Each structure stands twice: as structure tokens, then as C-alpha cells.
Amino acid sequence: MSNDADRPWFDSARPADERLELLLAEMTPAEKAGQLFHAMITAGPGGALADAQPAFGLPSNEEFLGDLKLTHFNLFGAQDTAGDIARWNNALQQRARETRLGIPVSISTDPRNHFSDNPGAAILSGPFSKWPETLGLAAIRDADLVRRFADIARREYTAVGIRVALHPQVDLATEPRWARQLQTFGEDAQLTAELGAAYIRGFQGDELGAGSVATMTKHFPGGGPQKDGEDPHFDYGREQVYPGGRFDLHLIPFEAAFEAGTSQIMPYYGMPIGTEHAEVGFAFNKSVITGLLREHYGFDGIVCADWGVINDRPIMGHPYPARAWGLEHLSPVERLVAALDAGVDQFGGEFCPDLVLEALDRGLVDEARLDVSVRRLLREKFTLGLFDDPFVDVDAADTIVGSAEFRAAGEAAQRASITILTNASTDAGSPVLPLARGIRIYVEGIEAETAARYGTVVERPEDADAAVIRLHAPYDLRGTPFEDHFHAGSLEFAADVVAHVQDVAAVVPTIVDVFLDRPAILAPIVDAAVAVTGNWGASAEALLDVLTGAAVSRGRLPFDLPRSTAAIVDSRPDVPFDTADPLFRFGHGLTL
């Protein structure tokens, strides 16, 4: 290891650009190649460096830093305590400082402040404060609240050493069946633009700096218009289609993101069909990345390809092809070169610097092209202050992350986001909601111990004064664990689910709450229940507080709720609000 006196890029008295160029001039091709990969990584128990993880195909932390020379990592999985993450960050940063150049590590994460657990999209909150999903923030429609959420998440992230957010997701949810709607701001372009910009400013501040978390806004140029609503993580969902000619509409939220100063952009996997652009995945699409993003919008930040576009790789024990849609016939090195030629700087979920060195040796790319991307990647590290102090206070991490203040704010947002869709009148003419506290209550999907704080819990519907049933929006199981995390397919409730709700509702006034990670077809549920609510991540306590009038819900639908499958099939995937005669329209919501 060199002494820092021999590494002038650590001299904070020098201008950042000078430090960057001094470092770049010292780097070998192998060290440059390592910068081009943003790999998934795990933390060891108790905050130690992790050994190899064969189940996930991951090398040890030591191999990542030493042999492969990577310095950008996506922290995978939930951890027990904030202190463990902070200890691991410090151990990893210390090991990085001991390498020849001492380049600090950039740690990123998918969203960690919500309810969902999808290894391709989000992580359970663990020690972090818990908020409604992004769709729930959109239901509240309060840009100031979104910025406050993002600022709280920023403080929690920076406390443990996470400095890059692999979000926000500003795709428009214009295809009701699409699996990735939960992390969007819904169907409306202007609302998404407003809230997405507030989200970025909450994480980054008014400008990127030492206290910021850099945002990787996704998925350029908009991932919502998926053919049949299938997701391009999988080969059957590779096509993005624009039968309504609304390609430009999906750019509106990204224009707001550029104005807000987003530091990074992630293109989506999908390949556009029937547009002026080549029918290849967006990470390989030069007219989209260089022509539209770089030249038209003038974006000079980092462009990181979505995870796994180069190499075929098993996920959760099942083989999956690289998401190199339209370029499946190319070899991994040819795919890498195509993406670099398109304007991509970095490859998510990959760690194959040997392919970069092979491309250099074969003359498929030159070192000057690598320098363009490496310069962008290192510049962000300098801007974030990682070269000056990448370490965090372990004791403070456990105090800051999930503090009482932050948890209370998240719980208040959960309550506010709940959307009351219907509230029928009783025979006496008064609305069913709010429920009186202390009544006899039958519950499904709620722990009896929790419900007992609001009334007397009974075991049979016929013994109750009211029933509360919690459901999840329907989806089809696809047969492999990774696919099943992506809730796709039919939006109709199974016949047995509907029949059960009808049976309960026949003997007691029944309130049904539905987790709307997609816009479910609720007509049969609405017909049976006396009241229906929608949520996007809310605890049972939050729901019961709203149902009993102890808290006021402010939720309004962030998308239309379609009336039928036929209306969905007949709608155009790129056009918002295009299902005929929706059951409830965007913006619908009642107040008690």
C-alpha cells in the first residue's frame, strides 16, 4: 500500500478536477475496467467482510476489491441492524484504502424504506423507517412530503454509508398489468414529474455534495408501455410498444429529473417496437442513449445499464438469459462493446472486467473511450466527498436509522396514503365508516392481538358487528421464485376469493382493504363489501386507525382502476387513462 502522501488525489487542498486527472493518469487498464461494473454484494455477519456467496454467484468482498478491482456495489438483502451495515461499510472502505490507488467504494441500494421484498426491485425495511411504497406517496399527492421522506431516507442511508439510491422510478404506469408499478408515482405524467423531482431533491439536496445520496433515476426513456404488461426482466416481456404514439409523453418525468439535477440514469431492458429507434434493448440503443439522453437533453452524468445485460446467469437456482434483447446473438464482449458505443458508462449486476480488457486487446474499444466513463464515475466519488471521508459513525448509525421521529413520520404517511374507495350507508342512513371502537370485530389478514386494541375480536363472522378483510391484488404465479416476485398476469380475483368475501359479507357488514401494487379489478369486491379501501404499504394499525376515524386518510388513486379484463386488453399500453369506463378514476378517494 502506498502512503497517502504518494497519492495526491487524496490531497483535499487541490481542486477536485485536478485530483481526478492525477488519479486517472495513474490508473492501469485493469483498474479502469473495474470501475465500469456495479456489482451486487453482501455484508458479512455483524458487519464483517463477506466470504464468497455461491448461492448468489458472488465472490468474496476481498476478491471484489483486490482481484477484480471494483469500487461500486449494490448492497443486497436486508440486514439486522444499522450498526452492522455501518461496520461493514467501514471495513470495506478500509480495505479499499489499502489497495494500490485507495479508491473509495460507492455503496448503493434499491429502496429500503417500504414493505416489499423483491430481489429485482426492493428490499424489506429492516432497521430503516417504514413508509408507504412510492405509489402510496403518489396517493398523498404532496411534493413537500415526498421531499421530506427522501431527506429522511438520505439521512438514514448516509448514516450507514449508502451513497447511491437506485431510484426513483419515474416510469408511467400506463399498462395496468405491468409488474413494476409499485415503485412508480402512478399513471399521470405531470404528477410523476412533480413528485419525482421532489424525491431527487430530498436525496441529493439542491446540488450534489458531501451530504448527498446520488440518485439513479430509472428507467429511461420510460419503462411502462410493456406489451401485454409483461416485464422485460424475462424474454417474454422484451417488447415495449407505442400503439398510441405517446413515446414522448413518457419522457416528461425525466425532463423534470434533469432539471432537479439527478446524478445518474438507468435505461430499461425493453426494446422499442415500431419507433424511430433501433429494436434493441435501451442499454444498447445509441439513438436513445447518445442521441436523446446525451445530445438532446445534454445529460453528462452517469448512465448505468440495468442489472444483467451482458452475461447469462442463474437467479435463485434457475437459468436466465442476459437481458440483451435484440442482441441475443452477440457474445458477451460484443454486447459490452455495443453498450459502450451506445453511451453507457457502467454495467449493473455484472463483474467481468476481463471482457473490457479483451475488448481493448482486440481493438473493439480504445482506452480513451474508457476514460470518458471512468472520469464520470470518479467525479461523482469526489463530489460526494468519499475521497475525503468515506467512514461513518457506527454508534450514531443505530441512533439515526429508524429513530422514533423517522418512524412516526413514516407511520403518519402510511395512514395518510390509505384510499377510501367506497363507504356505503347503513339502514339508518349513516355511512358505515368510521367504525365505532369497541365493537365486535372479525378480521382476516390482521393479527388478532392488533385488532383487539380496536374492538372485541370474534372467531366467526356471524358473531361480529363488522368484518375487516385484507387482500392482495391478484397476480399469476409463473413457476420460478424470481418470476413470482414480479406480480404479473391477470388482475381478476380468483373465484374462490370472491366467493369467500361474498360469504362473509352475507352475514356481517364487511370492509375489504386491498394492497394495490397493481390496479386490481375490484367490481365483485365492491359489490359485496360495504366499504373498500386501497393501500400501498400500510400496517394493520394504520388501517384500523383510519377505519375507526382515529386518523384521517388523504389517499387519492394514482391510477385508474379498470372495470374489466376486456377493457385492459383493448387499451393502448403507452396511453394513460385508456381503459374504457373505469370503475374508479385517477384521483378518486373519499374522506371520512
Side-chain angles (χ1 to χ4, degrees):
M1 184 188 88
S2 299
N3 188 291
D4 281 355
D6 301 324
R7 301 189 288 191
W9 46 90
F10 283 106
D11 182 1
S12 60
R14 296 175 185 265
D17 284 347
E18 179 184 338
R19 297 165 70 186
L20 190 160
E21 294 303 327
L22 287 166
L23 173 56
L24 188 64
E26 185 68 21
M27 296 177 76
T28 65
E31 288 162 337
K32 293 176 182 179
Q35 300 303 310
L36 302 188
F37 298 94
H38 194 140
M40 300 184 79
I41 196 170
T42 58
L49 296 183
D51 296 330
Q53 303 288 315
F56 300 108
L58 298 178
S60 68
N61 291 181
E62 170 63 37
E63 185 178 353
F64 265 137
L65 293 172
D67 298 341
L68 295 169
K69 299 177 172 52
L70 269 63
T71 70
H72 297 82
F73 299 105
N74 168 201
L75 179 58
F76 178 63
Q79 286 75 40
D80 291 335
T81 72
D84 286 346
I85 306 174
R87 273 184 287 273
W88 171 77
N89 170 80
N90 287 353
L92 198 68
Q93 297 289 5
Q94 182 58 44
R95 180 64 188 90
R97 182 63 70 96
E98 293 166 0
T99 61
R100 188 180 80 89
L101 299 176
I103 298 172
V105 164
S106 300
I107 302 297
S108 72
T109 186
D110 283 312
R112 282 181 179 262
N113 289 84
H114 309 289
F115 284 75
S116 61
D117 183 23
N118 177 347
I123 297 169
L124 284 171
S125 61
F128 294 81
S129 59
K130 186 177 286 190
W131 296 67
E133 306 285 346
T134 313
L135 269 177
L137 296 175
I140 302 172
R141 299 188 178 205
D142 184 337
D144 289 338
L145 176 66
V146 170
R147 182 162 183 168
R148 186 186 179 209
F149 155 72
D151 179 64
I152 286 173
R154 175 193 66 81
R155 285 186 270 174
E156 292 186 317
Y157 281 20
T158 56
V160 299
I162 295 171
R163 302 304 302 279
V164 179
L166 304 179
H167 42 99
Q169 185 182 330
V170 299
D171 306 306
L172 301 181
T174 50
E175 217 301 346
R177 292 168 290 186
W178 186 39
R180 296 295 304 278
Q181 296 177 61
L182 187 59
Q183 284 81 40
T184 75
F185 292 100
E187 194 167 359
D188 184 75
Q190 296 301 330
L191 180 64
T192 298
E194 178 187 9
L195 300 185
Y199 193 107
I200 290 164
R201 292 188 172 102
F203 271 103
Q204 293 192 172
D206 292 331
E207 62 180 29
L208 199 69
S212 301
V213 170
T215 56
M216 187 184 292
T217 302
K218 59 189 185 185
H219 302 88
F220 191 81
Q226 293 299 133
K227 183 180 178 181
D228 299 328
E230 298 292 0
D231 192 82
H233 274 84
F234 314 105
D235 57 359
Y236 50 76
R238 72 187 75 189
E239 296 184 5
Q240 284 192 208
V241 294
Y242 301 87
R246 303 304 300 273
F247 183 95
D248 289 350
L249 175 79
H250 294 261
L251 294 169
I252 289 173
F254 291 95
E255 292 168 352
F258 301 143
E259 178 66 25
T262 188
S263 184
Q264 303 192 31
I265 287 289
M266 180 193 292
Y268 207 29
Y269 296 125
M271 52 187 286
I273 304 298
T275 72
E276 64 184 276
H277 304 289
E279 294 187 354
V280 298
F282 286 120
F284 308 100
N285 210 306
K286 191 168 186 175
S287 64
V288 171
I289 303 301
T290 294
L292 185 59
L293 179 61
R294 297 288 193 203
E295 296 174 356
H296 177 75
Y297 286 118
F299 181 75
D300 193 36
I302 294 166
V303 176
C304 181
D306 209 338
W307 273 220
V309 300
I310 299 175
N311 292 291
D312 300 347
R313 179 164 297 164
I315 302 175
M316 302 177 77
H318 292 264
Y320 289 95
R323 291 86 170 179
W325 309 136
L327 299 179
E328 294 95 332
H329 60 288
L330 295 185
S331 68
V333 70
E334 290 168 332
R335 295 168 186 168
L336 181 143
V337 170
L340 290 174
D341 184 60
V344 163
D345 296 306
Q346 194 174 59
F347 299 93
E350 304 271 9
F351 46 94
C352 46
D354 57 307
L355 293 183
V356 178
L357 299 179
E358 179 185 344
L360 285 171
D361 290 343
R362 292 171 56 185
L364 301 176
V365 69
D366 60 31
E367 195 168 345
R369 171 62 188 88
L370 301 189
D371 288 351
V372 171
S373 292
V374 173
R375 190 174 277 111
R376 288 192 183 108
L377 293 158
L378 293 176
R379 180 177 293 117
E380 184 177 90
K381 290 179 185 286
F382 280 107
T383 302
L384 292 173
L386 289 170
F387 276 91
D388 299 322
D389 185 10
F391 302 102
V392 297
D393 183 330
V394 172
D395 292 333
D398 281 322
T399 300
I400 294 169
V401 174
S403 70
E405 175 193 352
F406 294 170
R407 289 189 182 276
E411 290 163 3
Q414 292 174 38
R415 289 162 170 78
S417 67
I418 292 169
T419 302
I420 301 171
L421 299 173
T422 66
N423 185 17
S425 296
T426 65
D427 293 340
S430 59
V432 169
L433 299 179
L435 298 174
R437 293 183 78 103
I439 61 171
R440 293 171 299 169
I441 185 170
Y442 170 80
V443 295
E444 293 181 8
I446 297 173
E447 294 289 339
E449 183 180 350
T450 300
R453 299 201 293 270
Y454 298 83
T456 300
V457 178
V458 298
E459 295 185 358
R460 304 188 310 162
E462 52 265 40
D463 296 331
D465 298 311
V468 179
I469 298 175
R470 302 198 84 180
L471 300 176
H472 194 296
Y475 60 94
D476 295 338
L477 294 176
R478 293 296 173 80
T480 68
F482 187 57
E483 285 175 282
D484 289 345
H485 279 288
F486 290 81
H487 295 170
S490 175
L491 288 162
E492 294 190 35
F493 284 98
D496 62 330
V497 174
V498 174
H500 176 67
V501 171
Q502 291 170 337
D503 289 345
V504 174
V507 298
V508 63
T510 299
I511 298 96
V512 177
D513 175 63
V514 185
F515 179 60
L516 291 172
D517 63 339
R518 298 191 302 153
I521 296 171
L522 292 179
I525 304 298
V526 167
D527 288 344
V530 295
V532 177
T533 62
N535 82 84
W536 293 273
S539 68
E541 293 89 345
L543 174 65
L544 291 170
D545 277 354
V546 167
L547 296 184
T548 58
V552 177
S553 65
R554 297 161 51 191
R556 300 293 182 265
L557 284 177
F559 43 38
D560 281 355
L561 287 181
R563 189 174 292 273
S564 68
T565 296
I568 296 169
V569 172
D570 290 342
S571 68
R572 294 163 292 180
D574 60 321
V575 180
F577 315 116
D578 199 45
T579 57
D581 188 28
L583 183 65
F584 297 108
R585 292 194 176 275
F586 170 84
H588 174 76
L590 308 177
T591 302
L592 297 184

